[in-house]
Amino acid sequence: DWSSDVALPIWKARMPKILTTVLLAIVAGFAAWLSPVFTDIPSPPPVPIVEPPPLAEPPPRATTRSDHVTVVLDTSGSMSDRGKLSYAKQLVRTLNLRSHGSVSVVTFSDRAQTVVSADEQLDDAALAERLYDVTDGGSSNLYEGLRVAIETSPIGSDVLVLSDGAANAGRTTPDALQELAGRIGTNGGRLYTVSLSPDADSALVPLSRIGGGVHRLVERPRDIVSVLDDNAFETLGGAQ
């Protein structure tokens, strides 16, 4: 039969398209049936945004410097050599005469003690009498000397360290000493250091840098008073 011979190839040719159409219709119907199911599922709650805590502010630096100077005086046994302690006392007295503010004195050897407090204003005669009783002996506990100076000085005070050797008692690590030097700078003061021997330079030089002051080495003890004539020491005692 001619019609069947022609129709069969045509049907076979159209079969893929017909099947594709049927499959698409089934898929579309199935998707339409599932749509309400998924649309009824509640959305998860929004995740709250947690703001990070603000960074801690650095400790404020005092904006006004004090005209007070605290001298931290080494009285260890080695300060008896070549009259170092006697010449250092002369520097303290000269500083007291020249200063526009008050001068206090903290000594340190095995331990630290306040010889002249920050609330005293002594004339030269009274200061000389107070210093007369200061003698040398013992080790060098620089940490305690700085700690007592910080705790007993007005905020913004400058600190002047006079020493002839490395710290060898108490807390002697650079980190511990430099932390105290940083506190002096944070409080608005400056840390000045004078060594009467190169042995003290390794400790005092970095302390003066961290404390915002300067360091000087005086190899001849009798020349120590001349440090006060150094231009770098013009800012000692609050001068800008």
Side-chain angles (χ1 to χ4, degrees):
D1 182 52
W2 179 87
S3 60
S4 61
D5 291 340
V6 174
L8 185 59
I10 295 174
W11 173 256
K12 289 181 178 181
R14 292 180 178 178
M15 181 60 69
K17 293 183 178 181
I18 294 173
L19 290 175
T20 300
T21 302
V22 171
L23 287 173
L24 290 174
I26 293 172
V27 170
F30 187 68
W33 177 77
L34 288 178
S35 178
V37 175
F38 286 104
T39 54
D40 291 340
I41 297 176
S43 301
V47 178
I49 299 176
V50 179
E51 295 291 336
L55 296 176
E57 292 291 334
R61 183 182 178 92
T63 56
T64 303
R65 296 182 62 207
S66 169
D67 59 2
H68 179 81
V69 179
T70 300
V71 179
V72 180
L73 177 60
D74 185 353
T75 58
S76 60
S78 59
M79 287 292 286
S80 64
D81 182 35
R82 296 186 294 163
K84 293 175 184 176
L85 183 56
S86 296
Y87 289 118
K89 291 179 181 180
Q90 290 182 18
L91 183 146
V92 176
R93 293 175 59 186
T94 303
L95 176 63
N96 188 56
L97 290 171
R98 296 184 183 182
S99 177
H100 297 292
S102 57
V103 174
S104 61
V105 180
V106 173
T107 61
F108 68 94
S109 54
D110 295 323
R111 61 188 182 88
Q113 62 179 348
T114 300
V115 175
V116 180
S117 63
D119 57 359
E120 295 181 280
Q121 286 190 311
L122 304 182
D123 59 23
D124 184 58
L127 178 59
E129 183 177 354
R130 194 75 61 88
L131 293 175
Y132 179 81
D133 295 328
V134 174
T135 58
D136 53 76
S139 301
S140 179
N141 194 337
L142 175 59
Y143 182 90
E144 278 301 296
L146 288 173
R147 184 189 64 80
V148 172
I150 292 171
E151 292 181 356
T152 59
S153 301
I155 294 295
S157 298
D158 287 341
V159 175
L160 173 62
V161 175
L162 308 175
S163 181
D164 74 332
N168 57 15
R171 300 183 64 180
T172 60
T173 62
D175 287 346
L177 294 170
Q178 291 171 18
E179 188 272 333
L180 292 181
R183 285 174 58 184
I184 294 171
T186 300
N187 288 342
R190 293 173 181 166
L191 175 58
Y192 298 79
T193 57
V194 176
S195 61
L196 290 162
S197 168
D199 295 339
D201 285 357
S202 59
L204 298 185
V205 170
L207 294 184
S208 63
R209 289 176 180 170
I210 293 172
V214 294
H215 171 80
R216 288 294 182 267
L217 167 63
V218 179
E219 298 196 58
R220 296 188 302 180
R222 65 175 180 268
D223 295 334
I224 191 171
V225 176
S226 65
V227 165
L228 299 177
D229 298 322
D230 191 321
N231 290 336
F233 280 73
E234 288 182 351
T235 55
L236 179 65
Q240 303 298 324

